[in-house]
Amino acid sequence: MAENILIVTEDEELLDDLLRLCAAAGTEPQVAHGGPAGGAGWATWSGAASWERAPLVLVGDDCAGASGFGAADGTPGADGPVPRRPGVLLIGRDWDDPGVWERGVRVGAESVALLPDAESWLTGRIADALEGVGSTALTVGVVGGRGGAGASTLACALAVTAAAAGERTTLVDADPLGGGLDILLGAERTQGLRWPDFAESRGRVGGAALADSLPRPHEVSVLSWDRGERALVPADAMKAVLSAARRRGGVVVVDLPRQVDATVAEALVQLDLGLAVVPAELRAVAAAHRVAARTRPAVRDLRAVVRPPGGPQRRNPHDAGLDDTEVARLLGLPLAGELPWERGLLADVDRGRPPGSAKDGALARFCGRFWEQALSGAGAAA
């Protein structure tokens, strides 16, 4: 960003603490030593230019009484106060001083942070401001009701079609035994980090740094597995990495395994919407019922995507199967839609064309309808 965080304080001890927190968030702030004067003095204040442009302003409680911040009761002063703006925090230390909240009103602060208790929160708030965090990404998880249902294929197609529509898109492979989504995208040899590189991640991961570190085939930032033997990451790493991806905005698609452990549970709780892909066959429905029972408690909105019976190699495409609405009813899930099998998909993938890239294909049509409704707030595709 052109402007950096602005700190306003004359308290050297507080300044040291705020500089340390800014360093932890990866930034070197601007510092205005002393608060603004009212009237004409505002224009000559060292922090005047940064006050209006900085992504975040941290005002020390020692400077909250400066005349430029207005009257003591929080109303604008007669001598021309500092312009009110969003993104101002009052930073103090004394929990026993009730006046700190009044001073927060005086400086136009959106929050009051009291150190040292609020250090972790404040570090995250600083990092969010630097990343320009707005709305978090719409996050969709895809899980197979049984093996071979096509969940990974749908997850890739959702990511490819979202990126093609201009959405900032991240695809997260949360299934360590799935073989790696980078292969489906033709990016197994593309340079970039994979899950084992994030196994020790804790706390807060920068969203921009995460996106810059990942392979980006077909405009999709993809976090996949490598071909090594390590197939586990701690729950803390899943939480940190997925949170970072969501803070970047746009859409995040997560390919989920059918078994739920602590790591997968961390992914489930961050989903806005889950899709369970189920072939319209009795055995598949029975298997999907168990998957839904494990998944549904953690997902606020879980829906069924029904596929015709028999799979892509069925000999008779007119073989009778369960109706899509009946499958959804048996599972006790809302119906997101019916997704036909796409002929020639495997051959396309072998030629480097990922799922969803054929604009006239069943996957692209389904995904287009899904995103049109989901991104407009109407929910999953009907």
Side-chain angles (χ1 to χ4, degrees):
M1 289 188 177
E3 291 291 330
N4 216 322
I5 304 296
L6 173 64
I7 296 175
V8 182
T9 185
E10 291 183 281
D11 183 331
E12 292 187 3
E13 184 178 354
L14 179 61
L15 177 59
D16 286 344
D17 284 339
L18 294 179
L19 290 174
R20 172 173 53 83
L21 297 181
C22 286
T27 184
E28 183 176 346
Q30 301 291 321
V31 179
H33 297 280
W42 149 249
T44 62
W45 179 50
S46 63
S50 294
W51 176 272
E52 296 185 306
R53 296 197 296 263
L56 185 70
V57 179
L58 309 178
V59 179
D61 193 27
D62 61 297
C63 288
S67 61
F69 286 127
D73 63 358
T75 59
D79 54 354
V82 172
R84 295 289 168 128
R85 53 151 291 169
V88 175
L89 306 179
L90 181 67
I91 314 299
R93 294 184 182 279
D94 190 356
W95 281 94
D96 296 324
D97 178 11
V100 69
W101 310 105
E102 295 178 5
R103 294 189 291 276
V105 173
R106 176 174 182 159
V107 304
E110 63 182 42
S111 296
V112 173
L114 298 177
L115 304 182
D117 301 58
E119 283 194 358
S120 178
W121 176 85
L122 183 55
T123 303
R125 185 68 179 80
I126 292 168
D128 284 346
L130 294 170
E131 290 183 1
V133 172
S135 299
T136 56
L138 175 64
T139 306
V140 178
V142 186
V143 61
R146 65 154 169 80
S152 295
T153 298
L154 177 58
C156 283
L158 285 169
V160 167
T161 53
E167 294 291 336
R168 175 181 288 167
T169 306
T170 304
L171 176 61
V172 178
D173 188 352
D175 186 357
L177 303 181
L181 293 185
D182 54 352
I183 295 177
L184 272 179
L185 292 170
E188 62 270 26
R189 294 184 177 87
T190 303
Q191 293 296 314
L193 300 185
R194 265 67 173 180
W195 262 121
D197 299 303
F198 293 96
E200 305 305 321
S201 297
R202 300 290 187 277
R204 193 182 194 285
V205 174
L210 173 67
D212 290 343
S213 71
L214 299 177
R216 197 163 177 259
H218 309 283
E219 303 303 315
V220 175
S221 298
V222 56
L223 177 53
S224 187
W225 297 87
D226 62 9
R227 261 43 74 187
E229 295 182 358
R230 182 166 189 166
L232 292 174
V233 296
D236 286 346
M238 175 63 75
K239 179 179 181 180
V241 169
L242 190 52
S243 295
R246 298 188 72 227
R247 285 196 304 272
R248 289 280 288 166
V251 300
V252 174
V253 181
V254 186
D255 183 32
L256 297 160
R258 297 194 304 282
Q259 294 294 332
V260 178
D261 58 16
T263 299
V264 174
E266 287 290 355
L268 293 176
V269 298
Q270 297 200 51
L271 299 181
D272 298 304
L273 174 65
L275 299 177
V277 184
V278 188
E281 304 164 349
L282 281 176
R283 288 187 64 195
V285 171
H289 197 280
R290 292 190 291 271
V291 172
R294 297 187 184 101
T295 305
R296 188 160 34 191
V299 180
R300 68 190 76 177
D301 187 357
L302 180 65
R303 304 187 179 203
V305 174
V306 179
R307 311 210 70 168
Q313 304 302 323
R314 64 191 186 282
R315 294 181 179 178
N316 183 357
H318 303 293
D319 282 345
L322 297 173
D323 180 77
D324 54 359
T325 56
E326 179 68 4
V327 171
R329 187 191 68 79
L330 290 171
L331 293 173
L333 298 177
L335 178 64
E338 183 179 42
L339 176 59
W341 301 95
E342 187 168 314
R343 291 184 178 180
L345 179 63
L346 293 178
D348 283 346
V349 171
D350 288 342
R351 289 193 292 266
R353 300 182 63 191
S357 58
K359 294 183 179 180
D360 58 346
L363 278 167
R365 291 196 302 271
F366 177 91
C367 294
R369 292 193 301 269
F370 173 84
W371 289 126
E372 182 179 357
Q373 296 188 40
L375 290 171
S376 69

